[in-house]
Amino acid sequence: MPSPTHSTTPLTVNSARLNELLEADNRDNRSRMKNVLFKDRIFAPRLEVSLKHDRDLALERLSRIVKNGHISVFDFEKNPLNIFAAHEVVGMIDGSTATKMTVLMNLYGGSVLALGTARHRKYLEAVDDMTGVGCFALTELGYGNNAVEMETRADWDPKTREFIINTPSVLAQKYWITNGYCDAKFALVFAQTYFNGKHEGVHVFIVRIRNEDMSVATGVRVDDMGHRMGCNGVDNAKLFFNNVRVPADALLNKYSDVTPDGQFKSSVGSGRARFLVVADRLLSGRLCIAAMSLGGTKTVLNNAFRYAASRLTVGPTGKSDTPILDYQLQQNALMPLLARTIALNFGNNFAKRKFVEDSAETHDEVIRLCCVIKPLVTWNFERVATICRERCGGQGYLSANLFGLFLGFSHAGMTAEGDNSVLMQKVAKEQMAAVAKGAVTYPSVDTSSIATWNLSTLDALVKLARVREIALLQHLGKAMSVTTPKAPAASRKSIFQVWMLEESDAIQAFARSFGERICMDEMLAVIAAEPESTGLKPVLSVILKLFLLHALNVDAATLVGGGVLTPAQVAQMAETQRAAVKELAPYSMGLVKGLGVEDHMLYAPIAHDWKAFNKSDSKGEVMGVGYARL
């Protein structure tokens, strides 16, 4: 290939220091995974293979990760940040393996750890040695985001001291159960619990679904959910139960139990409250999904930027000597995605720390953080995968370049552990409630001169991000005021009417503004603490500026319509965004390197010598190709 002629001179950045900031914990384990484990060819993609092969491969990969000690269910007690670190690194390589891992370690193992007692510890050792793989049977065909209304029943039989598990209807079948079709011996089954005829709410039971020889247990039916648009190494199942009996000690009994004399007791009052307690595992699950989706995003960005830097096309001389990364079209598409990914990484780091430090006083805040960061990260993953695929042209459409696999992975993240948009409703509702009771207060921002703010400066953009969030909060507060008893009867509306049928756009925008402000505040703290000697302060400031411009421009029409900004200021923001892209572009390859994906983890031909890849008939597969330098 001809040597490139750059219209933009590449500039160096302290990639190693950036990676230290982004991957701030468990760096030794991350390094061992990347530089020892992931050099094994078992982690190379196989594309044109059977569903069985995909599933067997994902299980083998997971077994090697777990048996080499890179993650343990007991990390939740000893080192919870390692749970999320492992998810991020595995997400860089394979969405199927990451998905199976998060169900095994967090949803199954983590729930047994958090909701069980000493009598259940035996199941945890079998998680760490992979002899007792488990699954998490919460979702039902007819009950996803409304899982509290599930139909699966657990009826107490006092004569035998057993619970009898049943699937009473088609809608009650457990659905999308990862690990369920091939690998799980045990399922954590969520069920409406009836004790001597009294409904005691939703509780969780450890139910054997396979015998030791892996045959399906009596009374259990396991159906294959088949091929999906992505993550086909995951063995999703539909589960049905027909009078499956489990002993009393199968109940995860940290909060509710059956006494030796046959009485039901619970330390949690109402049925709905009991469901919220047992569903709390989804909080760490959302952080796990955010982490592994962040890892996948970083791999996609590496593939796209490396190709854009090496693919030459027509330059000012009329010759194919200019990298497409030099084009404004390419930079305007890719640089905001890179800036947003870095900002979300810092926001995710903040959410993880708050989760680890959680207490009764901070738990409501942690809920909001976990519920907002998962949507922001997974939505960004999808945008990165889609836009990067397009900006790589025909090469992006080739399966070997892996955009399709990562796009499918991103969509799984957008839906799993709570639909993104539904989670954002929860975030908005709970943030408004926290403000109403005084648990959250917003700083005062003087907007008397806002029409003259210079929105080409970072300081003004930071203030505007705060104003946007407050303005959306005030708008929703006013909209919801017609639902209160104080509202005139003629104009009074139900909460459902306003919240679900009239203000969805504002609800989503408010939750998004809250999450983006969290990322901004964390980046401001990182920039303030960063020593001048590393040289990163100025670059991080431009990254933050571009992140804010990109985020605020989304709401430009709302800000103008609400009288917050003038049209001239919106035009200034658009021009400032283009300038920030141009300023940051020369650092792009160093910034991408700082994301922490090692060369040998990049299997897409376009991330390496794609000319060499195309010298021979590879059948579109990456196995055995020398460019990967395994």
Side-chain angles (χ1 to χ4, degrees):
M1 291 183 291
S3 299
T5 300
H6 291 276
S7 59
T8 303
T9 303
L11 298 176
T12 59
V13 67
N14 193 338
S15 302
R17 176 56 183 163
L18 176 61
N19 184 252
E20 289 175 0
L21 294 173
L22 295 176
E23 299 185 350
D25 60 80
N26 292 281
R27 291 185 59 79
D28 286 346
N29 188 41
R30 291 177 191 255
S31 179
R32 286 189 296 110
M33 293 180 75
K34 294 177 184 179
N35 296 306
V36 180
L37 183 67
F38 288 163
K39 286 187 175 180
D40 191 321
R41 293 175 68 85
I42 193 73
F43 292 96
R46 278 78 159 173
L47 300 171
E48 195 174 343
V49 297
S50 68
L51 198 58
K52 182 181 185 305
H53 188 286
D54 248 343
R55 290 168 171 177
D56 289 345
L57 185 61
L59 179 64
E60 177 60 25
R61 288 170 174 169
L62 177 58
S63 296
R64 296 195 184 198
I65 293 165
V66 174
K67 290 179 179 179
N68 278 284
H70 295 294
I71 187 172
S72 164
V73 67
F74 297 106
D75 285 341
F76 278 112
E77 295 177 328
K78 302 173 183 177
N79 182 10
L81 286 175
N82 188 59
I83 295 283
F84 309 127
H87 276 78
E88 182 181 341
V89 177
V90 176
M92 295 174 177
I93 284 284
D94 180 33
S96 292
T97 303
T99 301
K100 289 178 70 64
M101 184 175 78
T102 201
V103 170
L104 175 64
M105 289 293 170
N106 176 66
L107 292 181
Y108 174 72
S111 294
V112 173
L113 194 66
L115 301 175
T117 57
R119 73 191 191 197
H120 301 111
R121 301 285 288 193
K122 61 185 178 182
Y123 295 99
L124 299 175
E125 298 292 346
V127 169
D128 272 5
D129 65 16
M130 295 290 291
T131 61
V133 172
C135 58
F136 188 79
L138 169 62
T139 300
E140 296 181 4
L141 175 60
Y143 307 92
N145 291 308
N146 58 336
V148 69
E149 300 295 327
M150 68 178 63
E151 292 184 38
T152 299
R153 290 179 64 109
D155 289 273
W156 174 249
D157 183 348
K159 295 177 182 178
T160 61
R161 289 187 58 84
E162 293 173 315
F163 286 96
I164 308 171
I165 313 293
N166 273 292
T167 304
S169 74
V170 172
L171 291 179
Q173 63 185 278
K174 296 298 184 179
Y175 213 67
W176 285 116
I177 309 306
T178 293
N179 296 338
Y181 186 68
C182 298
D183 303 326
K185 291 180 181 176
F186 302 97
L188 288 189
V189 178
F190 287 68
Q192 303 286 359
T193 304
Y194 291 83
F195 198 87
N196 295 334
K198 180 184 177 183
H199 183 219
E200 297 289 357
V202 174
H203 290 81
V204 192
F205 303 84
I206 297 183
V207 180
R208 179 179 278 278
I209 62 171
R210 281 187 178 82
N211 302 308
E212 286 303 305
D213 64 0
M214 297 306 289
S215 61
V216 176
T218 301
V220 178
R221 172 180 152 195
V222 181
D223 289 355
D224 189 356
M225 293 197 67
H227 199 275
R228 282 128 305 126
M229 66 176 281
C231 293
N232 278 295
V234 177
D235 53 323
N236 292 116
K238 301 184 288 185
L239 301 181
F240 303 77
F241 302 94
N242 182 18
N243 292 323
V244 175
R245 289 178 171 268
V246 296
D249 62 9
L251 172 67
L252 296 188
N253 64 327
K254 182 174 182 179
Y255 299 102
S256 300
D257 204 359
V258 179
T259 63
D261 62 350
Q263 302 299 310
F264 185 87
K265 64 176 184 179
S266 180
S267 61
V268 181
S270 69
R272 181 170 182 81
R274 291 172 188 174
F275 172 76
L276 294 176
V277 166
V278 298
D280 213 36
R281 233 28 252 163
L282 297 177
L283 294 180
S284 56
R286 287 162 190 150
L287 292 181
C288 288
I289 288 177
M292 65 196 203
S293 296
L294 186 63
T297 308
K298 293 177 177 182
T299 298
V300 172
L301 286 170
N302 267 271
N303 292 339
F305 272 92
R306 289 167 72 116
Y307 182 60
S310 64
R311 176 68 160 90
L312 306 182
T313 190
V314 177
T317 66
K319 303 291 185 181
S320 291
D321 59 4
T322 300
I324 57 175
L325 186 54
D326 282 5
Y327 288 177
Q328 186 187 45
L329 175 69
Q330 201 78 353
Q331 292 177 2
N332 284 351
L334 299 185
M335 294 307 300
L337 299 177
L338 177 58
R340 186 171 179 84
T341 300
I342 291 172
L344 292 174
N345 194 143
F346 284 119
N348 192 49
N349 287 352
F350 176 76
K352 291 186 297 183
R353 290 201 312 273
K354 296 297 285 188
F355 176 85
V356 171
E357 299 165 359
D358 193 15
S359 66
E361 292 74 25
T362 63
H363 191 61
D364 287 346
E365 178 190 7
V366 169
I367 290 173
R368 295 192 296 273
L369 290 172
C370 293
C371 290
V372 80
I373 200 66
K374 196 275 281 191
L376 292 184
V377 171
T378 55
W379 272 328
N380 181 63
F381 187 11
E382 183 277 326
R383 286 289 79 202
V384 168
T386 297
I387 294 172
C388 287
R389 195 241 47 93
E390 180 187 358
R391 299 317 319 145
C392 290
Q395 288 290 344
Y397 198 66
L398 188 66
S399 291
N401 287 319
L402 305 180
F403 291 105
L405 288 180
F406 281 109
L407 184 62
F409 182 14
S410 74
H411 277 266
M414 287 159 56
T415 301
E417 319 296 18
D419 173 275
N420 279 359
S421 295
V422 175
L423 284 179
M424 294 299 258
Q425 287 184 320
K426 178 179 175 66
V427 169
K429 176 186 175 184
E430 299 202 0
Q431 184 72 356
M432 290 178 70
V435 171
K437 66 182 182 182
V440 169
T441 57
Y442 283 89
S444 176
V445 180
D446 182 3
T447 59
S448 59
S449 62
I450 192 170
T452 63
W453 285 3
N454 179 3
L455 295 179
S456 67
T457 67
L458 179 57
D459 286 347
L461 293 169
V462 167
K463 288 196 295 183
L464 180 58
R466 301 194 193 285
V467 169
R468 173 185 61 159
E469 185 181 356
I470 294 169
L472 287 164
L473 172 67
Q474 291 172 340
H475 168 85
L476 285 173
K478 182 178 180 181
M480 294 301 293
S481 67
V482 301
T483 68
T484 68
K486 294 181 179 179
S491 59
R492 192 176 303 151
K493 298 179 182 179
S494 69
I495 293 174
F496 184 89
Q497 173 71 26
V498 177
W499 192 260
M500 299 300 291
L501 304 181
E502 296 180 1
E503 293 294 339
S504 287
D505 291 344
I507 291 165
Q508 296 294 313
F510 172 56
R512 177 167 44 81
S513 71
F514 162 72
E516 289 170 345
R517 191 259 306 162
I518 292 294
C519 297
M520 177 189 79
D521 283 344
E522 179 64 10
M523 275 205 77
L524 288 170
V526 169
I527 292 169
E530 185 65 10
E532 297 284 351
S533 58
T534 68
L536 270 185
K537 267 182 182 287
V539 178
L540 288 173
S541 295
V542 180
I543 291 171
L544 177 56
K545 179 191 282 191
L546 181 52
F547 165 67
L548 290 175
L549 286 162
H550 186 247
L552 291 166
N553 273 318
V554 171
D555 294 318
T558 300
L559 294 170
V560 172
V564 176
L565 295 181
T566 66
Q569 286 175 306
V570 171
Q572 183 187 33
M573 285 201 306
E575 180 58 34
T576 302
Q577 179 170 326
R578 289 190 289 271
V581 166
K582 191 175 290 290
E583 183 179 0
L584 202 58
Y587 298 97
S588 59
M589 297 311 295
L591 295 174
V592 169
K593 183 176 178 61
L595 297 179
V597 185
E598 301 293 342
D599 282 4
H600 59 265
M601 295 167 60
L602 296 169
Y603 287 98
I606 57 171
H608 299 282
D609 188 344
W610 40 271
K611 180 180 177 181
F613 175 79
N614 285 283
K615 283 182 178 178
S616 59
D617 183 7
S618 64
K619 300 293 190 297
E621 293 282 355
V622 302
M623 279 295 290
V625 178
Y627 72 84
R629 298 194 295 279
L630 293 173

